[in-house]
Amino acid sequence: MIQVSNVEHEIQTLKQKIIAKVRHPFLSKFIPEPVIDEDKLMLLSSIMDDTALPEVKKEQYIITTMLVQVALDTHDLVTLTDEDEEQETVRSRQLTVLAGDYYSGMYYYLLSQLDDIPMIHTLASAIKDINEQKMELYYKDVGSFQEFMNGLRDIESLLIQRVASYVQRTTINDVAGEWLLTKKLLNEKKNIQNNGFSPLFDLLLKSPRTNTSYSQMMNTVENIIQKNMSRLEMTISQLPLHFNQLKSYVHSTLDDHNYTKQFAEEG
């Protein structure tokens, strides 16, 4: 079995390679470097490690998929920003759009080098569906709180799930959905605790159909997190043995958020 330290080293190595791809001297002067989502990186790495693909192709798939994620996340920084802005903020928004387009161009360039048309179609289809889901969530009134959560789960996990399906490793899909939604809610909750504001939750509060107050929303979010913990405990315990490192990673990061549910580990 691979030692945890080796897994952590592999994730950090991949992360540095992704950062090297997205680093641009002009953009770095005006906007922060993009944050690489280590949870999604860990899921992708676990998926690819379970395949018989050549090591070079595994790494190309991981880096390319994460570049897609970086581009999607960067465009979100524009979508979820207050529209009442100073001129300098407008310039920052314009540069952020440019950065998202730059990262998008990078993954298309890498895919062209990979010469893998089916993978290009897989990622392009995922991008289309994620963007459609974002349009529903950001610009239309959702019908209910649960509908909002379902849309958020799709936005967070669809890219990983499509790649998993492409390499025929769909056993990870349920875990990816529960885990990534839970981490998103934990992070947004942390934003509120630290900054008193969450742009994402603000969208929910502004929707007349959800009819919820701030305190009701936070109570509901906390209940969803707790329920997801229980479901995640069950789904992750059912993963095959070779996903034990992923189980340990999920358990460790939950401990960091002071959620101490113990996951059953096999082997």
Side-chain angles (χ1 to χ4, degrees):
M1 179 183 296
I2 300 174
Q3 297 299 313
V4 174
S5 59
N6 290 342
V7 173
E8 291 174 349
H9 176 73
E10 178 186 350
I11 294 301
Q12 292 305 314
T13 299
L14 285 167
K15 186 176 177 179
Q16 290 306 312
K17 289 182 178 181
I18 296 165
I19 290 172
K21 293 287 185 185
V22 300
R23 184 175 288 124
H24 190 286
F26 174 76
L27 292 174
S28 62
K29 292 179 181 178
F30 302 100
I31 60 175
E33 283 193 348
V35 176
I36 309 300
D37 191 321
E38 290 192 14
D39 300 305
K40 292 173 183 176
L41 184 53
M42 181 66 186
L43 283 164
L44 281 171
S45 180
S46 299
I47 292 166
M48 294 303 164
D49 283 346
D50 188 38
T51 70
L53 292 169
E55 291 301 319
V56 171
K57 180 162 281 194
K58 288 180 184 179
E59 183 173 297
Q60 287 175 318
Y61 279 177
I62 292 170
I63 291 176
T64 301
T65 303
M66 287 306 299
L67 284 173
V68 172
Q69 188 64 59
V70 167
L72 290 168
D73 291 345
T74 301
H75 283 140
D76 275 354
L77 294 177
V78 178
T79 305
L80 295 174
T81 301
D82 193 340
E83 293 182 3
D84 296 327
E85 302 160 321
E86 301 294 334
Q87 184 174 353
E88 188 64 26
T89 308
V90 171
R91 183 188 188 195
S92 177
R93 281 167 60 87
Q94 291 170 339
L95 286 169
T96 302
V97 172
L98 176 63
D101 293 341
Y102 171 70
Y103 304 145
S104 299
M106 282 299 302
Y107 72 71
Y108 279 123
Y109 171 69
L110 289 176
L111 282 172
S112 68
Q113 289 186 315
L114 191 60
D115 193 25
D116 194 327
I117 301 300
M119 184 59 165
I120 294 175
H121 286 165
T122 296
L123 293 178
S125 173
I127 293 166
K128 173 180 174 293
D129 291 343
I130 290 169
N131 283 333
E132 287 179 354
Q133 190 63 254
K134 286 180 179 179
M135 291 292 291
E136 291 288 327
L137 216 61
Y138 298 161
Y139 299 111
K140 296 183 180 180
D141 289 333
V142 293
S144 66
F145 197 100
Q146 188 57 52
E147 184 180 330
F148 186 91
M149 289 296 122
N150 291 341
L152 189 57
R153 178 188 288 107
D154 287 343
I155 289 169
E156 289 299 307
S157 61
L158 192 57
L159 181 62
I160 305 297
Q161 291 171 339
R162 292 289 177 82
V163 172
S165 297
Y166 178 72
V167 297
Q168 300 180 349
R169 293 298 181 273
T170 55
T171 52
I172 203 73
N173 281 358
D174 286 343
V175 167
E178 297 295 344
W179 172 233
L180 294 176
L181 174 61
T182 301
K183 279 303 295 289
K184 183 66 174 179
L185 295 178
L186 286 169
N187 289 336
E188 292 301 317
K189 180 183 170 184
K190 186 177 180 181
N191 284 339
I192 290 177
Q193 291 170 339
N194 292 341
N195 308 314
F197 178 69
S198 162
L200 188 66
F201 288 166
D202 190 53
L203 287 173
L204 189 58
L205 286 172
K206 289 178 178 177
S207 175
R209 294 188 183 182
T210 55
N211 191 28
T212 186
S213 67
Y214 176 85
S215 59
Q216 289 173 330
M217 180 192 68
M218 292 310 298
N219 286 334
T220 304
V221 166
E222 184 62 34
N223 287 334
I224 290 173
I225 290 173
Q226 294 291 352
K227 288 179 181 178
N228 280 3
M229 294 296 110
S230 298
R231 285 197 295 267
L232 189 57
E233 180 179 1
M234 180 177 64
T235 53
I236 203 169
S237 67
Q238 295 172 350
L239 287 177
L241 286 173
H242 45 259
F243 285 112
N244 272 357
Q245 293 302 323
L246 176 62
K247 298 179 190 183
S248 296
Y249 175 85
V250 172
H251 186 192
S252 175
T253 50
L254 287 176
D255 283 346
D256 290 342
H257 286 273
N258 298 319
Y259 285 85
T260 56
K261 282 184 175 289
Q262 298 296 312
F263 293 127
E265 292 201 14
E266 305 162 7

